[in-house]
Each structure stands twice: as structure tokens, then as C-alpha cells.
Amino acid sequence: MWIWIWLAIIVVSLAVQFVLGRRIWRAVRELNAELRSLGSTAADVGLELSRIGAPKVAGALTPRHGMNLATRA
């Protein structure tokens, strides 16, 4: 009797891991696609800004507040 309970617990846990793993994998793939899309959009915006002669924004490339503590010491 106990063997069937243990077997059911193992089967259910494997099924849950499989379903959650697929959902997590799908979410990671969607996140990677969004990041690639964001990168290409940023590149396109940079290209358009360079075409119209707008100056590049240097502030976006510098470290934010608190990140350059080692350089100030």
C-alpha cells in the first residue's frame, strides 16, 4: 500500500517539475526575445539620432550614483 503512495508522490512531483520547467523556459525565451528587440530598437534610435545630427547622450554611458565609489577613493 505504501509503495503506491510513494509512487504517486514521485509521479506528481515529476509532473509539477515538468510543467513549471516548461513555463519558466518559455518565460526565459520571451525575456531574451524582448531584450534582443530592445537592443535593436536602441540601435535604430541611435542611428536615427546620428542621421539628424543630434549629439550623443554621454550620461547614459557613465556609472550611476554610488557605482563609482572605488574611483573616488
Side-chain angles (χ1 to χ4, degrees), residues 56-64:
K56 292 189 176 186
V57 179
L61 301 176
T62 60
R64 293 185 180 183

Side-chain angles (χ1 to χ4, degrees), residues 13-33:
S13 66
L14 287 175
V16 167
Q17 281 183 334
F18 179 75
V19 169
L20 290 179
R22 284 178 49 98
R23 285 188 179 184
I24 290 171
W25 184 249
R26 187 179 305 133
V28 167
R29 284 189 306 175
E30 289 175 3
L31 179 63
N32 285 334

Side-chain angles (χ1 to χ4, degrees), residues 3 7 12 24-26 37 44 46 48 50-51 56 68:
I3 188 84
L7 187 62
V12 168
I24 290 171
W25 184 249
R26 187 179 305 133
S37 174
D44 292 342
E48 290 296 324
S50 68
R51 282 184 184 168
K56 292 189 176 186
N68 57 354

